Amino acid sequence: MELILAGPVRVRTPIVRASWDAGPVAARKGSAPKLGDVLLVTGAESFLADRAVRSAIAAVSKTSSEVEVTDLDASTLDVGVFAELTGPSLFASERVLVLRALENLPSEMAAHLIEYAGSPSDDVLVVLVHSGGQKGKGVLDKLRKASVNEVVATAPKAWELPQFVAGEIRLLGGSVDEGAASALVDAVGHDLRALAGACSQLVSDSGGQAVTAELIGQYFGGRAEVTSFAVADAAIAGRTEPALEQLRWALDCGVAPVLVTSAMAGGLRGLAKYASASGGMRDADLAREVGVPPWKLKQLKQQARGWTAGGLAAAIKAVAQADADVKGASGDAGYALERMVLTITRAHGRR
């Protein structure tokens, strides 16, 4: 059984809210974790992985008055410790064992763990956390063959983050529209922990009302005005002075130069995909083709009016050069970014 914690593009079944609190963007197959299960949590997104672990512990605690939780790094595990933690206990009849960094499991322990997964103890929930990558893949494959439950913790794509925000706010009992959810992403950034914390604060302080762009502006407006996305939007619109002003303000406030080039590259890439897409497509299909949420198509349509194929090519080349410069090819990242902005705004409308 597999629970995918990611954006809905990775889910092959209808999106539903899990009966155990696994997160706002999830598809559930099977029931909540319980004693006697082995739960495998894989993926590089630590926030979602940590949430899956907490949720599994909470699911067991709901049905048991006293649960003993042991949290270990798998690299420290040996046969004796594993037998002690999964065997009969004199002090606690119901236990959860969390083994983190499963990719570092000692090789001599692999056979013991796989054997246990085939016949787990009835009074223990074992949660195995693997941070992704190829290391330890052989153990993962054998655990999957043993039919353990699996949670895949993968970061949503950038264009899915407003959906993550909306789901998080709904999970907390609030409501938000697509535009406001996107505004929060622009204000806070792409870090899931920061976004989840912002959602919690906004729902708590909204007084039961919908979370609006105005409320987000009150809390995070200062941050929103200096994000790399604001610089990109102004430059792609051909607005030289506002783009340079936003850039200088962003750099003064500590925004990393690489985030500016990343936002600019993403904006131009989406615009290029939109401009080259086949005509007559439905909005949902067009959004999927371009890789943006449907509500962003209106903005892309407006931006595309000022761009030609030649102009886009020149702008994309400028971003590639600036990206190399801020990563070490140039000693002055600020100058490299200003030159990029000027090149892009001049390419706007170019034939």
Side-chain angles (χ1 to χ4, degrees):
M1 289 178 284
E2 180 177 297
L3 172 66
I4 299 176
L5 293 179
V9 71
R10 289 181 53 83
V11 177
R12 292 185 291 272
T13 57
I15 299 172
V16 297
R17 177 173 167 184
S19 60
W20 56 294
D21 181 17
V25 187
R28 179 169 59 89
K29 293 182 180 180
S31 57
K34 63 184 183 302
L35 297 172
D37 284 350
V38 176
L39 178 65
L40 180 61
V41 180
T42 60
E45 177 43 64
S46 62
F47 171 75
L48 294 180
D50 289 345
R51 171 172 280 181
V53 172
R54 293 195 308 270
S55 299
I57 295 171
V60 170
S61 300
K62 285 180 181 178
T63 59
S64 303
S65 58
E66 188 172 336
V67 177
E68 177 184 301
V69 179
T70 304
D71 197 316
L72 293 177
D73 190 295
S75 64
T76 66
L77 198 64
D78 59 35
V79 175
V81 171
F82 186 63
E84 178 183 351
L85 295 174
T86 56
S89 173
L90 297 176
F91 305 104
S93 60
E94 297 167 336
R95 290 160 292 160
V96 177
L97 170 60
V98 180
L99 290 179
R100 299 185 185 272
L102 186 65
E103 62 273 17
N104 296 325
L105 182 76
S107 57
E108 64 271 16
M109 282 302 304
H112 295 280
L113 181 61
I114 293 163
E115 180 182 5
Y116 176 85
S119 182
S121 301
D122 292 337
D123 59 354
V124 181
L125 168 64
V126 175
V127 183
L128 308 171
V129 185
H130 189 285
S131 60
Q134 292 299 308
K135 189 177 180 181
K137 185 176 182 299
V139 174
L140 292 183
D141 291 341
K142 291 177 182 179
L143 287 169
R144 288 166 179 148
K145 288 181 180 178
S147 299
V148 301
N149 298 336
E150 181 172 4
V151 175
V152 181
T154 306
K157 293 180 174 62
W159 67 273
E160 296 174 308
L161 287 172
Q163 298 174 54
F164 172 85
V165 166
E168 189 76 15
I169 289 176
R170 284 195 300 270
L171 190 70
L172 294 166
S175 61
V176 65
D177 62 29
E178 286 184 313
S182 179
L184 184 60
V185 174
D186 286 348
V188 176
H190 292 188
D191 183 79
L192 295 191
R193 293 184 191 276
L195 284 171
C199 290
S200 178
Q201 180 181 12
L202 289 166
V203 172
S204 175
D205 293 349
S206 65
Q209 301 298 311
V211 174
T212 63
E214 289 73 23
L215 181 64
I216 293 168
Q218 292 175 21
Y219 280 84
F220 304 104
R223 293 178 66 178
E225 290 168 343
V226 298
T227 62
S228 51
F229 298 101
V231 180
D233 286 344
I236 292 173
R239 301 166 59 223
T240 303
E241 290 304 320
L244 289 173
E245 181 180 348
Q246 293 283 10
L247 173 62
R248 291 162 187 154
W249 194 1
L251 294 177
D252 287 344
C253 292
V255 174
V258 70
L259 294 181
V260 179
T261 57
S262 176
M264 200 74 74
L268 289 171
R269 186 165 51 245
L271 189 59
K273 288 182 178 179
Y274 177 85
S276 62
S278 301
M281 297 176 66
R282 294 184 307 139
D283 282 355
D285 295 332
L286 180 58
R288 191 178 303 110
E289 177 76 15
V290 176
V292 298
W295 60 266
K296 197 173 179 64
L297 292 177
K298 183 178 180 180
Q299 180 185 10
L300 287 175
K301 183 178 180 179
Q302 293 173 339
Q303 291 177 337
R305 291 172 183 157
W307 287 94
T308 64
L312 275 173
I316 291 171
K317 182 178 179 180
V319 174
Q321 180 61 57
D323 190 58
D325 288 342
V326 302
K327 291 177 179 176
S330 170
D332 190 340
Y335 173 75
L337 292 177
E338 286 191 2
R339 183 176 59 189
M340 175 191 71
V341 166
L342 288 171
T343 302
I344 291 171
T345 56
R346 289 167 183 165
H348 183 265
R350 169 179 165 182
R351 295 295 173 183

